[in-house]
């Protein structure tokens, strides 16, 4: 029962969503299904918050490796919630709002929550994102080792694309003179880069995307027909 | 209650179900009368449930649709502009279902071996030998994404293998709903492996919805615990390379798969095995080994064949157009290209 009902709901709603794509009057039903998902996901978020607290509290109490980070996580979690819920630093935006306590929006510019986002969260995320450059370099170093013919081809293609992306006209024109005096020089490498990107990369990506589309159809059918229910815990 | 006898009873139920082909309630509804193992009670129950759902879901849906259609002058129940797209959808779905039914009736189908999937048991075995945990990341998107669902389906197989070898499996999630589904999948897999005590819900936990917060936590765990095998199967964005490089740094055997074409090169560069696009969706069926699911994979191949034929047809028409253009109409306007129909209807989805 605990598995049959969810599968039936998934099947019926899934088929309605497919039909709605071709039948305009069913589009509001699709919207309702999306609203339901939002409601369920919001409830689940509370579950996630509770799980986060329990998980880190357990780590702290067991003195597991990295328990100090758990303390920082929990402190940040509770401080952010408190600042957001109590609307620290938020002021009413209109005269009507003056009558009501805590009537200003919590994300208001200058509020505590805004400050945390702007000056703590945002820089940390930017820092993490910036690290990506080093990871790309490290992965590229390993991938472009010329150990066989395929790797050499990959390396050459990568070099062409890399050089073609630069804005230096002398490099990308291979130091060739312009065809007519006063005109812009040729861009053999830049053109080659564009050719590689538009022809080989696009063709490869489209081939993968066709496969993905067919895979999505087959997986969706497996789910809608209840053939594969391992995502719900199988038959148990 | 005797714990062992309880476990044995559960195992017996599982074995009976596996022997009977593990048919779902929905199949029993569709194929009533063809299956001797479908007991009447179950069919009656599913019929009752279906009737209840029809009453709760379908009728309100239709009445709502009727209301919205009623507000317009003429009720248009089918968007005729999408006819070709609808026919294509029906054709592909029909092919997949026919192949499933053929496989169920015993027709053997060859499915090519996928290196990444064959290496899964090797990865779990390696972790067992080294006495280190396994990491499974089901992507960073919610369960409404098909990639995440595909990842969870593979999780079920990996968890079963890990339970059989008694190797700890860590599943950090970035969505609470995914955490709930992952717990269900791992618990069921442990039960199916005959090791209900293996399931530890603390190992499947929620971290944060925030992309880089999640990455920081998972990478930190990887550097501390040094897992021997890492699985990254689901929907990934910029974090793919962070995770794969961290796994590489700790010397783990890595198997990744995603349908995000922009992230595939990162996984290919940093992981030992990569499931490219459709292979991720085929993984669960492939690992299950069930004839019906393998038949679906064959149906996919027929879809690919249809795509190839369409591509060749479209390319031929486009070449013909460029070699000998159609010229102008009597009014002096350029006639549309021969390949225009394919561009307008098939490629643009009607």
């Amino acid at each position: 029962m605990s598995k049959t009902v969810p599968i039936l709901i998934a099947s019926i709603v899934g088929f309605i969503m497919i039909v709605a794509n071709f039948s305009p009057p069913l589009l509001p039903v699709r919207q309702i299904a999306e609203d339901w998902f939002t409601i369920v996901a919001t409830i689940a978020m509370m579950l996630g918050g509770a799980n986060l607290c329990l998980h880190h509290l357990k780590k702290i109490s067991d003195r597991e490796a990295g328990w100090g980070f758990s303390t920082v996580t929990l402190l940040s979690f509770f401080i952010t919630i408190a600042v957001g819920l109590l609307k620290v630093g938020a002021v009413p935006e209109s005269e009507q709002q003056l009558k009501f306590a805590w009537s200003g929006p919590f994300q208001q510019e200058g509020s505590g929550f805004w400050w945390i986002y702007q000056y703590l969260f945002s820089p940390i995320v930017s820092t993490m994102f910036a690290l990506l450059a080093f990871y790309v370099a490290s992965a590229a170093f390993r991938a472009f080792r010329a150990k066989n013919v395929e790797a050499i081809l990959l390396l050459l293609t990568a070099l062409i694309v890399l050089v073609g992306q630069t804005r230096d006209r002398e490099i990308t024109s291979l130091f060739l003179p312009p065809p007519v005096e006063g005109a812009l020089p040729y861009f053999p490498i830049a053109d080659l880069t564009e050719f590689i990107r538009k022809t080989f990369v696009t063709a490869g990506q489209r081939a993968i995307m066709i496969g993905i589309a067919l895979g999505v159809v087959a997986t969706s059918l497996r789910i809608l027909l209840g053939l594969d229910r391992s995502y719900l815990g199988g038959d148990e | 209650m005797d714990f062992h006898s309880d476990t044995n009873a559960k195992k017996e139920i599982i074995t009976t179900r596996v022997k009977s082909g593990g048919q779902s309630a929905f199949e029993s509804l569709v194929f009533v009368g063809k299956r001797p193992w479908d007991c009447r009670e179950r069919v009656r129950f599913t019929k009752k449930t279906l009737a209840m759902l029809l009453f709760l879901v379908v009728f309100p849906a239709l009445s709502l649709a009727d209301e919205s259609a009623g507000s317009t002058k003429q009720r248009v129940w089918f968007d005729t502009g999408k006819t070709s797209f609808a026919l294509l959808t029906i054709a592909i779905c029909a092919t997949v279902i026919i192949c499933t039914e053929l496989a169920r009736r015993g027709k053997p189908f060859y499915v090519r071996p996928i290196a990444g999937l064959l290496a899964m048991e090797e990865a779990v075995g390696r972790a067992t030998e080294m006495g280190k945990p396994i990491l499974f990341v089901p992507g960073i998107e919610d369960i409404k994404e098909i990639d995440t669902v595909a990842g969870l389906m593979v999780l079920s197989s990996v968890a079963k293998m890990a339970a059989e070898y008694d190797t700890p499996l860590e599943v950090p999630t970035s969505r609470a709903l995914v955490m709930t589904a992952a717990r269900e999948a791992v618990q069921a897999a442990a039960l199916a492996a005959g090791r209900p005590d293996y399931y530890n819900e603390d190992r499947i936990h929620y971290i944060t919805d925030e992309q880089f917060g999640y990455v920081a936590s998972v990478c930190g765990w990887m550097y501390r615990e040094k897992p021997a095998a890492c699985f990254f199967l689901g929907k990934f964005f910029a974090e793919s390379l962070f995770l794969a490089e961290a796994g590489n740094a700790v010397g783990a055997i890595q198997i990744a798969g995603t349908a995000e074409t922009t992230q595939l090169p990162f996984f290919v560069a940093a992981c030992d095995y990569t499931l490219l696009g459709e292979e991720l969706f085929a993984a669960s069926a492939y690992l299950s080994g069930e004839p019906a699911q393998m038949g679906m994979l064959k149906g996919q191949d027929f879809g690919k064949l249809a795509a190839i034929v369409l591509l060749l047809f479209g390319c031929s028409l486009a070449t013909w157009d460029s070699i000998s253009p159609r010229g102008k109409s009597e009014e002096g306007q350029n006639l549309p290209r021969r390949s225009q129909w394919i561009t307008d209807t098939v490629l643009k989805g009607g």
Side-chain angles (χ1 to χ4, degrees), chain A residues 151-186:
Chain A
I152 293 168
L153 283 175
L154 188 69
L155 175 66
L156 288 176
T157 315
L159 277 176
I160 292 168
V161 174
L162 199 67
V163 175
Q165 294 286 316
T166 60
R167 294 281 170 197
D168 192 320
R169 282 169 188 269
E170 284 189 340
I171 295 174
T172 55
S173 64
L174 294 175
F175 304 96
L176 291 170
V180 187
E181 204 176 325
L184 291 170
Y186 284 124

Side-chain angles (χ1 to χ4, degrees), chain B residues 67-78:
Chain B
E67 269 176 38
S68 92
S71 60
T72 56
K73 282 180 185 174
Q74 200 180 359
R75 289 178 188 188
V76 183
W77 284 97
F78 182 73

Side-chain angles (χ1 to χ4, degrees), chain A residues 23 44 51 138 142 228 233 235, chain B residues 17 77 79 176 183 188 245 284:
Chain A
S23 180
N51 178 262
S138 139
R142 279 200 314 280
D228 193 335
D235 287 324
Chain B
R17 282 184 180 168
W77 284 97
D79 186 351
R183 281 182 172 177
E245 278 296 291
S284 164

Side-chain angles (χ1 to χ4, degrees), chain A residues 3 21-23 25 32 44 48 51-52 58 121 128-129 135 138 142 211-212 219 222 226 228-229 233 235, chain B residues 17 24-25 53 64-65 76-77 79 82 176 183-184 188 202 206-207 210 212 242 245 259 278 281 284 293 296:
Chain A
K3 297 286 182 290
N21 192 44
F22 301 103
S23 180
I32 289 173
N51 178 262
L52 181 96
K58 193 171 179 300
F121 182 77
M128 282 292 292
F129 195 67
Y135 282 118
S138 139
R142 279 200 314 280
I212 289 171
T219 308
R222 283 213 307 270
D228 193 335
R229 19 189 185 170
D235 287 324
Chain B
R17 282 184 180 168
S24 71
L53 281 164
L64 197 83
V76 183
W77 284 97
D79 186 351
K82 290 181 176 175
R183 281 182 172 177
E184 287 280 325
D202 291 340
Y206 168 79
I207 292 177
E210 175 51 42
F212 289 111
F242 283 94
E245 278 296 291
E278 59 166 328
F281 300 109
S284 164
Q293 296 205 38
M296 283 219 158

Side-chain angles (χ1 to χ4, degrees), chain B:
Chain B
M1 184 197 263
D2 182 4
F3 175 76
H4 292 289
S5 67
D6 186 40
T7 311
N8 288 336
K10 280 177 181 171
K11 274 171 76 178
E12 212 167 276
I13 292 167
I14 293 158
T15 320
T16 318
R17 282 184 180 168
V18 171
K19 277 181 186 165
S20 71
Q23 302 306 313
S24 71
F26 193 78
E27 280 175 275
S28 65
L29 275 170
V30 179
F31 305 106
V32 171
K34 285 187 181 177
R35 307 197 182 319
W37 59 80
D38 280 338
C39 61
R40 282 182 185 175
E41 268 180 38
R42 189 175 177 181
V43 174
R44 208 176 299 138
F45 159 73
T46 47
K47 275 184 177 171
K48 208 183 279 178
T49 319
L50 185 67
M52 188 177 77
L53 281 164
L54 277 174
F55 183 73
L56 289 173
V57 180
V58 181
F59 293 149
L62 287 175
S63 65
L64 197 83
D66 202 41
E67 269 176 38
S68 92
S71 60
T72 56
K73 282 180 185 174
Q74 200 180 359
R75 289 178 188 188
V76 183
W77 284 97
F78 182 73
D79 186 351
T80 47
K82 290 181 176 175
T83 310
S84 60
F85 185 46
L87 288 174
L88 203 64
T89 309
I90 291 168
I92 292 172
C93 292
T95 317
V96 172
I97 291 170
I98 288 167
C99 285
T100 310
E101 199 50 34
L102 284 175
R104 207 198 299 270
R105 288 180 185 177
K107 186 174 169 53
F109 284 122
Y110 172 75
V111 178
R112 72 179 166 89
I114 299 170
L117 298 177
L118 295 175
M120 280 187 179
E121 188 145 14
E122 179 198 330
V124 176
R126 185 174 180 263
T128 311
E129 280 172 9
M130 294 173 76
K132 287 181 176 178
I134 301 165
L135 173 73
F136 192 103
V137 179
I140 62 155
E141 278 295 312
D142 222 327
I143 201 158
K144 67 177 177 178
E145 295 291 334
I146 192 81
D147 309 47
T148 312
V149 177
L152 289 174
M153 286 170 167
V154 182
L155 169 65
S156 189
S157 304
V158 173
K160 196 177 168 194
M161 280 185 242
E164 280 164 0
Y165 291 121
D166 198 19
T167 309
L169 173 69
E170 187 84 9
V171 189
T173 64
S174 76
R175 306 284 165 157
L177 272 180
V178 177
M179 176 192 76
T180 319
R183 281 182 172 177
E184 287 280 325
V186 174
Q187 191 175 20
L191 207 59
R195 297 288 312 276
D197 54 319
Y198 170 80
Y199 172 66
N200 176 5
E201 66 171 21
D202 291 340
R203 288 200 168 273
I204 305 149
H205 54 93
Y206 168 79
I207 292 177
T208 170
D209 279 31
E210 175 51 42
Q211 183 185 24
F212 289 111
Y214 178 75
V215 169
S217 173
V218 177
C219 289
W221 182 86
M222 283 162 91
Y223 284 119
R224 282 193 300 274
E225 302 289 331
K226 299 197 171 21
C230 298
F231 294 89
F232 307 118
L233 300 161
K235 205 172 186 73
F236 292 92
F237 298 100
E239 71 288 345
S240 61
L241 196 57
F242 283 94
L243 297 169
E245 278 296 291
N248 194 284
V250 299
I253 182 167
Q254 303 197 94
I255 299 172
T258 183
E260 279 297 309
T261 49
T262 48
Q263 302 307 316
L264 281 172
F266 295 133
F267 278 144
V268 171
C271 294
D272 299 286
Y273 298 96
T274 308
L275 303 177
L276 300 171
E278 59 166 328
E279 291 176 349
L280 169 68
F281 300 109
S284 164
Y286 192 94
L287 291 169
S288 76
E290 284 176 31
Q293 296 205 38
M294 299 294 256
M296 283 219 158
L297 297 184
K298 209 65 208 166
Q300 253 175 271
D301 287 349
F302 282 113
K304 259 183 266 178
L305 187 70
I308 291 168
V309 171
L310 266 175
L311 272 172
L312 288 176
F313 182 60
C315 288
S316 309
L317 280 181
T319 312
W320 188 13
D321 277 329
S322 60
I323 292 169
S324 74
R326 287 185 68 194
K328 295 190 175 185
S329 65
E330 287 175 1
E331 290 83 32
Q333 288 175 330
N334 285 332
L335 285 167
R337 289 181 292 122
R338 295 177 186 93
S339 55
Q340 195 67 43
W341 181 83
I342 292 188
T343 316
D344 290 346
T345 52
V346 182
L347 295 182
K348 290 180 183 171

Side-chain angles (χ1 to χ4, degrees), chain A residues 55 69 80 102 115 134 176 221:
Chain A
H55 179 73
F69 298 120
T80 311
W102 289 318
W115 194 92
F134 300 100
L176 291 170
L221 279 174

